[in-house]
Amino acid sequence: DGGITQSPKYLFRKEGQNVTLSCEQNLNHDAMYWYRQDPGQGLRLIYYSQIVNDFQKGDIAEGYSVSREKKESFPLTVTSAQKNPTAFYLCASSSTKTGMLNTEAFFGQGTRLTVV
Amino acid sequence: GQQVMQIPQYQHVQEGEDFTTYCNSSTTLSNIQWYKQRPGGHPVFLIQLVKSGEVKKQKRLTFQFGEAKKNSSLHITATQTTDVGTYFCAGFSGAGSYQLTFGKGTKLSVIP
């Protein structure tokens, strides 16, 4: 069954701790994305990656880090430097080919992170 | 950086009324995509517009891409309760760009 999987669905952490959110896709997509969603704020881009071992900062990258060691995986670490980490985090992937337009983004089910 | 603005933020309509959401970009877009997120769910792709002035229809939904490729709209005719959710537009700033920027979305409520 092809798709994009985020785990866990709900995550609780104590303030000051780093936490890593998992995102795996078996769609053979090159591009992967992390978004943060807060009520009334829409989807804000944290990081994105076009290919393995390469990633770019989005609009709100401060306090977050990512890696892209494998095409299938794009984990997001929420560090203790992130001032307000409680949010709904969405991972997405899309397929692109050189010279062609970007295609639709497929989203995971999301991880709701609560920091107490 | 690229900004995508969407209005209105909220819209309450009586079932059977029409609904429109508008999207404006600060830069020219290579293409624009629309997504729907049901309450408690994740965004799901609806459509992609590529050409200047393009109009596409999906049943009661009509999507338009502006001539300058900087604005777009989604119009729903005769809303139903199944249309409830948040509608987002999203764009890539240029051909070959991978940065997909979303608007803040329009949350649609339909009163039966």
Side-chain angles (χ1 to χ4, degrees), chain B residues 1-110:
Chain B
Q2 176 184 297
Q3 292 186 37
V4 177
M5 291 144 288
Q6 203 172 341
I7 57 168
Q9 191 172 356
Y10 302 96
Q11 185 78 56
H12 305 275
V13 299
Q14 202 76 33
E15 188 172 16
E17 291 182 342
D18 292 355
F19 159 76
T20 304
T21 173
Y22 300 91
C23 183
N24 288 286
S25 170
S26 58
T27 60
T28 301
L29 301 169
S30 59
N31 54 340
I32 194 158
Q33 299 176 347
W34 285 91
Y35 293 78
K36 177 183 178 180
Q37 184 177 24
R38 294 183 186 274
H42 59 278
V44 175
F45 176 82
L46 293 176
I47 207 161
Q48 176 167 275
L49 303 172
V50 176
K51 298 176 185 175
S52 169
E54 188 171 13
V55 178
K56 285 188 176 180
K57 291 192 175 186
Q58 287 180 350
K59 297 182 180 178
R60 295 178 294 105
L61 278 62
T62 302
F63 303 85
Q64 292 187 316
F65 200 11
E67 294 290 341
K69 300 184 77 172
K70 295 180 74 173
N71 61 289
S72 181
S73 66
L74 157 61
H75 179 83
I76 302 178
T77 304
T79 55
Q80 299 175 359
T81 54
T82 53
D83 295 325
V84 164
T86 302
Y87 293 85
F88 294 97
C89 62
F92 295 94
S93 59
S97 169
Y98 287 74
Q99 184 167 353
L100 182 58
T101 300
F102 279 75
K104 290 190 176 183
T106 296
K107 188 173 182 179
L108 173 63
S109 300
V110 179

Side-chain angles (χ1 to χ4, degrees), chain A residues 93-106:
Chain A
S93 70
S94 70
S95 173
T96 60
K97 296 190 180 196
T98 302
M100 293 180 66
L101 289 171
N102 313 83
T103 59
E104 65 186 272
F106 290 82

Side-chain angles (χ1 to χ4, degrees), chain A:
Chain A
D1 212 11
I4 181 164
T5 303
Q6 288 186 247
S7 61
K9 191 171 182 180
Y10 298 95
L11 192 54
F12 295 86
R13 278 296 182 269
K14 289 185 177 179
E15 194 173 340
Q17 290 181 334
N18 291 358
V19 59
T20 297
L21 281 56
S22 169
C23 179
E24 303 278 334
Q25 55 99 358
N26 60 5
L27 300 167
N28 199 33
H29 285 172
D30 291 311
M32 295 188 74
Y33 306 84
W34 274 106
Y35 293 91
R36 171 181 171 140
Q37 188 171 33
D38 298 283
Q41 293 293 320
L43 299 173
R44 292 186 290 170
L45 182 62
I46 304 173
Y47 269 97
Y48 64 104
S49 169
Q50 301 175 209
I51 56 172
V52 174
N53 292 323
D54 185 56
F55 47 83
Q56 308 293 327
K57 291 183 179 180
D59 300 315
I60 56 165
E62 187 175 348
Y64 299 97
S65 66
V66 294
S67 63
R68 187 86 188 274
E69 296 176 3
K70 299 187 300 181
K71 188 175 186 178
E72 304 79 24
S73 179
F74 191 40
L76 173 74
T77 297
V78 184
T79 74
S80 56
Q82 169 51 231
K83 296 281 188 277
N84 186 18
T86 295
F88 187 48
Y89 291 88
L90 285 159
C91 180
S93 70
S94 70
S95 173
T96 60
K97 296 190 180 196
T98 302
M100 293 180 66
L101 289 171
N102 313 83
T103 59
E104 65 186 272
F106 290 82
F107 282 83
Q109 299 290 327
T111 293
R112 194 165 296 277
L113 173 66
T114 302
V115 176
V116 296

